[in-house]
Amino acid sequence: MPPPPHRAAAADALPAEVTMPVQFDLLGPLTATRDGRVVTLGSTKQQLLLAALLLRPGEIVSTEELAAMLWGDHPPQSAKANIRTYVRGLRQALAPDPTERWIRTIAGGYLMRVEPGVRDIDRFDDAVARGRGALAAGDPARAKVEFAAALRLWRGVALAGLPLPGVLAGPVADLDERRLLAEEDYAAARIALDETAAVIPRLRALLDRHPLRQRAWAQLMTSRYRTGDVAGALAAFRQARQALVEHTGMDPGPGLIRLHDAILHHRLGPAEPAGHRSRDTPPAAEPAGLPRQLPLARPGFVGRDAELATLGEILAGPPGGPAGVAIATLSGMAGVGKTTLALHWAHQAADRFPDGQLYVNLRGYADADALAPADALVTLLEALGVPVARIPSSIDARAGLYRSLLANRRTLIVLDNARDADQVRPLLPGAGRGAVVVTSRDQLTGLAAAEGAHPLTLDVLTESESMDLLRSRLGAERVAAEPSATVEMINLTGRLPLGLSIVAARVAAKPRYPLESVAAQLRPPAARLGVLADGDIRRVFSWSYQALSPDAAHLLRLLGMHPGPELTGAAAAALLGRPPARTDPLLQELTRLHLLTEHLPDRYALHDLLRSYAAELAGASEHADERHAASLRMYDHYLHSAHPAAMLLQPTWTQVAPVSALPDNVHVPPPDRAAAMAWFHAEHPVLLRVLRQAADGGFEQYACQLAWSLAAYLAPRGLFQHQLAAQQAALAAAERTGDLDAQALASRMLARALMRLGDQQAAEHHLQRALGLYEQLGDLDSLALSLRHYTELCTECGRLDEALKHATEALRVAQQTGSWYAQARALNTKGYLHALTEDYPQALTDCGQALAQQERMNDRVGQAATLDSLGFTYHQLGEYGRAADCYERSVSRFRESGNRFHEALTLLHLGETRQALADLAAAEDAWQRAARIYDDLGDHPAADGIRRRMTALSPPDDH
């Protein structure tokens, strides 16, 4: 099969003579060897980038895809520069000769070309293919050797030890599935060689880890039976049934049940040679006429390589396997390209089905009424040559005749646009070597449960596939001329094939029309569907909407008011104003029809175009009072879930009393600190959007208080860009309402974010404003805190005398408040300033008093900060042992509190002290830990300086 167009084009851009002395192993921990020596691959993010390129060899992986993989939905501004740094590091590690380029920079991304056999994945696939070929040819001995060689390449879980993002988790899961299939093929070869006793322990071990593998259970039952252990074979069936019921709620499939019956009645014969066909198998009947009913496939089809391969594997069946009908269901949201993919694959595979191809549009989601199964059977029987006069009147008789005609044929059947499993069941053959492809917006889980159908859910296109689609419709030159506008059009249509096709058709009709103009028209969410109206995208969505129950339709409309990018069942219940138990069935209904995607347990995503459609429906169908009430419930849900979580993370912060909670609304306050951290980790991208929407939509008080709650998570984790955005929105909201308390709080927190981001001038402006407001309000606690922030700002700017003055004033104000907590913090700040100005005795006195007070109050974060100050003081005095002890204790307390930013900063200081003690190994360890934290926090500029320090610890290796 030729490579897909985008891969072929990319590969053709490279020189043919590429020598590859490096081997890459992904079937276990990621390793690379060059000339037999292990290559150091660098940081975790650098390794993840290499893994992404290795999993898509010969394909351009865009910079945007890599950034999303490494940093999620909110990459740092330096993402592209960081990726270039990682690529440069990999190039230097893999190829000392700079002319030997492994990773190529291509417009918009990077490409890695590897020769056959360079990856262990390729060697594994080649050995498996040879083994399956040997099985099909009736040579199980050779198959056994090949499968054994393939399985020896696995050294554990693929890419073990790397924190895999979602974009890599799928391919790794696919590798694991390929390994399991190879294990089962290996067992088949050994069973064919009558090595049943030897294969039993390996099958038992496989099933202990993967108890839902029905083929492996069948092999275990067969092996036990053929070793004379009939009781063991029957016990294995009972174990299989128990595992399937417990994990899936389903009984074993028909094949396993038939095998159990054969064992129970001693009808299981001896093993047949691989590839053997029984003489009792009836020959295929000659068809009355060969149907060729496939509609025209859409020209210019691009992408979907993985889905095409999966369809091929499902519908081809295992080599040499038993006769049976293979069923694949293609489901997905409206406009995702289910029919296009099914027909493209069907035309490619038509020659595999010599007895013809049948096609029926079941009209499950269309303007016309759905096609009844009885009427569909008439269409199918006519295509198979049955005269209308001979077609039975009852649906059961029609289905029986249909199955009889297909029993010995190898026919492909495409059942397009099915409404549900009941519409499909009468149209399935009962025997033969045929295949059925069903497309539907419904998940058709019933077909998987009862008929053994293989579900395949179709997602939107990838970035590169979307780019290929536009190139195929508009021409490569036009796309290349406006790359930014092209990427924006792709993103604004959510990579939905229908949306992209509509945009492409609109632009193609106007060759001189700038792409930037189309992108500008698509930007406002409320106008997006209007731009796509030429393709009737609203009508396509409406077919799914009309299939909903009234309650589910009401929920979908309200979901259009949620800002995204995802929500939980509890948030949906709050929007709807119902308990979660009454909301969950509606979410499942929306998910089943692919109007929602449950990409993680209890985390639902709504496609952006569907969100716009739902928002339009809400504006047209929901009363303004109901929309306001739903929004209020949503903001109340998030605020009164976030506020208690923030208090668990930062119990020493001065609490901001939230607006009263709605008594009957859904809230999810976490039970402990770990749960609070996990909740914020999952929800902070949502909270940022909710905050901005509340600020812009007349719910300013919720926006300001959400900003405070978010800061409890964002600031300690070093997410200062997000903190900046949150506090800017909060300040604007507070200014609109004239809330001076909220203005002061947002100004102070905004200044902290600006300080961390290096904009000291803007930070000083907001700090001075906060100080003035707190003086005006008489809020001494917050005034003391702001003065400490001002001290830090002056320190960073080198204005030490001014900093010491503010620190002394902060202590005076804290003493006025009577807060021991504030006094201890102010004493530490003042002590650190004395250390900077070389008044070490006073520094030790102030910090010692601060630490004693903080230990009495169990202020762990305060202790961490004061221990860091003491460590600095002792280091300056040359008492490196005492300094190291203080730093170690500081690091421990920062880690306990989740304050990773300051943990990294203290590790940097610890490394300096260890270096002064000539303990270079400990210094390097501290700096490596700091660098890893900075990488996790978004590649802070300090990380590069740390790595330069580590490089300077030892001279370069001359060998």
Side-chain angles (χ1 to χ4, degrees):
M1 182 184 296
H6 68 287
R7 293 194 179 190
D12 290 345
L14 299 178
E17 66 288 356
V18 179
T19 60
M20 291 288 177
V22 176
Q23 297 286 325
F24 296 102
D25 294 324
L26 296 86
L27 304 181
L30 177 63
T31 60
T33 56
R34 182 182 180 90
D35 300 325
R37 295 184 177 181
V38 175
V39 175
T40 301
L41 296 177
S43 68
T44 297
K45 280 190 168 57
Q46 192 162 292
Q47 292 183 50
L48 282 172
L49 186 146
L50 175 62
L53 295 176
L54 284 171
L55 287 171
R56 293 166 63 178
E59 180 180 349
I60 298 172
V61 183
S62 72
T63 304
E64 289 75 15
E65 288 180 272
L66 292 173
M69 181 193 72
L70 295 177
W71 293 284
D73 292 335
H74 302 284
Q77 291 182 340
S78 60
K80 290 185 178 180
N82 295 335
I83 289 172
R84 287 195 297 271
T85 299
Y86 297 149
V87 169
R88 185 165 60 250
L90 287 170
R91 284 171 175 163
Q92 292 170 352
L94 296 173
D97 181 357
T99 63
E100 184 182 333
R101 279 293 179 95
W102 286 72
I103 303 173
R104 299 280 173 163
T105 302
I106 308 296
Y110 298 91
L111 176 146
M112 190 163 197
R113 181 177 176 185
V114 295
E115 295 297 325
V118 165
R119 304 183 308 163
D120 57 355
I121 296 173
D122 301 323
R123 301 193 296 277
F124 168 78
D125 286 339
D126 290 345
V128 168
R130 291 192 299 269
R132 288 175 180 157
L135 272 182
D139 188 354
R142 188 168 129 254
K144 171 189 169 182
V145 172
E146 296 290 356
F147 288 130
L151 293 169
R152 280 196 298 271
L153 292 170
W154 283 82
R155 299 166 290 114
V157 178
L159 299 179
L162 287 179
L164 298 179
V167 71
L168 293 187
V172 169
D174 174 67
L175 287 174
D176 190 51
E177 176 65 20
R178 281 148 65 180
R179 178 186 189 176
L180 293 173
L181 290 171
E183 284 278 6
E184 292 169 349
D185 289 335
Y186 181 49
R190 298 192 72 178
I191 291 170
L193 292 168
D194 202 22
E195 297 179 3
T196 49
V199 84
I200 288 173
R202 191 166 185 130
L203 284 170
R204 186 72 265 177
L206 184 152
L207 288 166
D208 285 343
R209 299 189 306 272
H210 305 279
L212 305 183
R213 309 290 298 187
Q214 295 199 49
R215 184 186 179 203
W217 281 114
Q219 291 172 331
L220 179 62
M221 291 164 61
T222 302
S223 299
R224 287 200 179 280
Y225 179 82
R226 290 192 174 136
T227 58
D229 185 6
V230 177
L234 296 175
F237 175 78
R238 291 193 296 272
Q239 293 165 2
R241 180 168 56 191
Q242 180 180 355
L244 289 164
V245 169
E246 286 181 357
H247 289 86
T248 69
M250 299 184 296
D251 284 324
L256 212 57
I257 291 173
R258 286 194 298 269
L259 176 61
H260 173 257
D261 186 65
I263 291 172
L264 192 63
H265 296 91
H266 297 282
R267 292 199 299 264
L268 188 62
E272 291 181 348
H276 175 74
R277 177 187 175 92
S278 171
R279 288 175 295 177
D280 296 331
T281 304
E286 286 299 320
L290 290 179
R292 306 290 188 193
Q293 290 193 313
L294 295 178
L296 180 68
R298 182 185 293 276
F301 182 90
V302 298
R304 302 294 195 197
D305 297 337
E307 291 86 351
L308 289 169
T310 301
L311 268 180
E313 292 174 5
I314 292 170
L315 299 176
V325 178
I327 306 170
T329 60
L330 275 177
S331 62
M333 68 175 290
V336 81
K338 301 177 292 294
T339 299
T340 301
L341 173 64
L343 291 178
H344 182 79
W345 181 87
H347 279 283
Q348 283 188 332
D351 58 351
R352 301 188 205 169
F353 301 94
D355 296 316
Q357 302 88 44
L358 298 166
Y359 173 87
V360 182
N361 182 358
L362 298 176
R363 302 198 303 267
Y365 298 89
D367 289 333
D369 291 337
L371 186 65
D375 296 333
L377 282 167
V378 171
T379 301
L380 291 165
L381 289 169
E382 284 188 283
L384 291 169
V386 180
V388 174
R390 292 182 56 195
I391 295 177
S393 58
S394 76
I395 185 171
D396 289 341
R398 290 176 183 177
L401 176 58
Y402 170 69
R403 289 193 294 268
S404 298
L405 290 171
L406 294 177
N408 296 309
R409 299 185 184 184
R410 193 173 183 87
T411 307
L412 173 63
I413 304 159
V414 179
L415 303 176
D416 194 17
N417 199 13
R419 187 173 188 86
D420 51 37
D422 289 338
Q423 188 187 24
V424 172
R425 281 195 178 95
L427 313 181
L428 299 176
R433 292 299 295 259
V436 182
V437 183
V438 187
T439 73
S440 179
R441 299 183 192 184
D442 191 294
Q443 290 180 342
L444 301 178
T445 52
L447 289 183
E451 280 75 28
H454 297 269
L456 180 61
T457 301
L458 206 57
D459 202 350
V460 295
L461 297 173
T462 65
E463 185 85 23
S464 60
E465 288 172 336
S466 303
M467 191 71 72
D468 290 338
L469 186 151
L470 292 180
R471 288 193 189 103
S472 70
R473 308 286 173 85
L474 305 178
E477 290 184 3
R478 192 170 183 187
V479 168
E482 295 187 68
S484 298
T486 302
V487 170
E488 192 171 8
M489 288 192 305
I490 289 170
N491 292 333
L492 292 173
T493 55
R495 306 198 307 274
L496 186 69
L498 176 60
L500 283 167
S501 298
I502 293 171
V503 168
R506 180 173 183 163
V507 175
K510 301 175 180 178
R512 300 184 185 278
Y513 205 77
L515 303 186
E516 167 58 31
S517 299
V518 178
Q521 292 170 358
L522 288 168
R523 281 176 199 135
R528 207 164 291 163
L529 294 180
V531 177
L532 303 175
D534 291 345
D536 276 344
I537 199 163
R538 287 190 183 91
R539 185 167 63 94
V540 173
F541 287 162
S542 73
W543 298 335
S544 295
Y545 174 67
Q546 290 164 10
L548 294 171
S549 65
D551 285 347
H554 177 49
L555 176 57
L556 179 66
R557 294 193 295 270
L558 295 183
L559 292 179
M561 300 164 55
H562 190 280
E566 59 186 27
L567 80 166
T568 62
L575 264 172
L576 193 58
R578 291 187 183 182
R582 293 179 57 196
T583 307
D584 288 346
L586 305 180
L587 290 169
Q588 294 309 312
E589 183 178 347
L590 294 172
T591 301
R592 180 172 55 80
L593 293 177
H594 289 284
L595 290 163
L596 273 183
T597 301
E598 189 178 13
H599 61 96
L600 288 172
D602 195 42
R603 298 202 73 82
Y604 301 90
L606 185 68
H607 190 277
D608 285 346
L609 293 180
L610 274 172
R611 190 186 312 281
S612 296
Y613 176 69
E616 284 188 356
L617 292 174
S621 304
E622 303 290 339
H623 193 275
D625 290 344
E626 171 56 22
R627 295 200 305 272
H628 183 274
S631 295
L632 179 61
R633 291 192 299 268
M634 177 177 69
Y635 299 136
D636 171 83
H637 161 77
Y638 281 115
L639 175 60
H640 288 282
S641 300
H643 188 271
M647 290 306 301
L648 285 167
L649 294 188
Q650 305 295 346
T652 60
W653 279 19
T654 303
Q655 184 176 161
V656 174
V659 61
S660 298
L662 298 178
D664 298 325
N665 201 22
V666 181
H667 308 119
V668 287
D672 53 40
R673 193 177 187 284
M677 183 67 76
W679 186 85
F680 268 122
H681 185 68
E683 294 288 356
H684 78 271
V686 181
L687 293 170
L688 287 165
R689 292 194 184 194
V690 168
L691 187 160
R692 286 193 292 268
Q693 187 186 73
D696 295 338
F699 293 85
E700 289 88 353
Q701 192 172 13
Y702 285 92
C704 294
Q705 294 175 356
L706 272 172
W708 179 87
S709 298
L710 256 173
Y713 172 79
L714 297 175
R717 295 188 64 81
L719 300 174
F720 299 119
Q721 288 289 354
H722 296 330
Q723 171 76 325
L724 177 68
Q727 300 306 326
Q728 285 174 331
L731 180 58
E735 287 172 341
R736 281 196 295 274
T737 60
D739 186 336
L740 296 183
D741 285 292
Q743 289 178 43
L745 177 63
S747 294
R748 177 173 64 79
M749 290 192 155
L750 182 57
R752 291 285 282 171
L754 289 164
M755 285 168 58
R756 297 302 185 208
L757 293 169
D759 191 346
Q760 310 303 346
Q761 183 176 356
E764 185 161 14
H765 165 74
H766 287 288
L767 263 180
Q768 288 174 343
R769 182 181 182 188
L771 286 167
L773 287 170
Y774 284 133
E775 287 179 351
Q776 179 182 342
L777 294 165
D779 185 347
L780 296 183
D781 285 324
S782 298
L783 181 62
L785 179 57
S786 300
L787 283 166
R788 294 208 310 271
H789 294 341
Y790 209 172
T791 300
E792 183 179 346
L793 174 67
C794 293
T795 302
E796 290 185 1
C797 295
R799 293 146 46 189
L800 299 185
D801 291 341
E802 186 180 350
L804 187 55
K805 182 182 74 171
H806 292 311
T808 304
E809 178 66 9
L811 178 59
R812 186 189 66 79
V813 174
Q815 288 168 339
Q816 280 186 277
T817 68
S819 168
W820 291 105
Y821 164 81
Q823 290 178 52
R825 292 291 182 102
L827 272 169
N828 171 51
T829 303
K830 179 171 170 285
Y832 181 66
L833 262 297
H834 283 302
L836 286 174
T837 55
E838 301 182 7
D839 186 352
Y840 301 121
Q842 188 62 48
L844 293 174
T845 299
D846 287 344
C847 292
Q849 291 176 8
L851 184 60
Q853 182 61 39
Q854 288 161 341
E855 287 174 342
R856 284 194 293 271
M857 295 185 299
N858 197 30
D859 178 4
R860 307 290 282 180
V861 177
Q863 293 172 42
T866 302
L867 285 165
D868 180 73
S869 299
L870 285 168
F872 173 77
T873 305
Y874 284 125
H875 184 100
Q876 298 305 113
L877 288 168
E879 297 184 37
Y880 300 127
R882 299 182 72 175
D885 177 67
C886 289
Y887 283 139
E888 292 282 9
R889 291 160 63 196
S890 174
V891 166
S892 176
R893 283 160 177 74
F894 276 133
R895 187 185 307 116
E896 290 170 10
S897 68
N899 194 322
R900 305 199 72 206
F901 177 81
H902 283 98
E903 180 188 349
L905 193 59
T906 305
L907 281 167
L908 177 61
H909 302 156
L910 175 61
E912 293 168 346
T913 298
R914 292 296 185 193
Q915 186 181 27
L917 287 166
D919 189 350
L920 301 187
E924 184 174 13
D925 175 71
W927 287 339
Q928 284 178 339
R929 287 154 61 194
R932 284 195 295 269
I933 292 174
Y934 282 131
D935 283 341
D936 292 342
L937 296 181
D939 290 317
H940 193 278
D944 290 335
I946 292 173
R947 293 191 175 94
R948 285 194 294 271
R949 291 185 186 211
M950 288 189 290
T951 302
L953 279 179
S954 57
D957 188 357
D958 294 331
H959 299 288

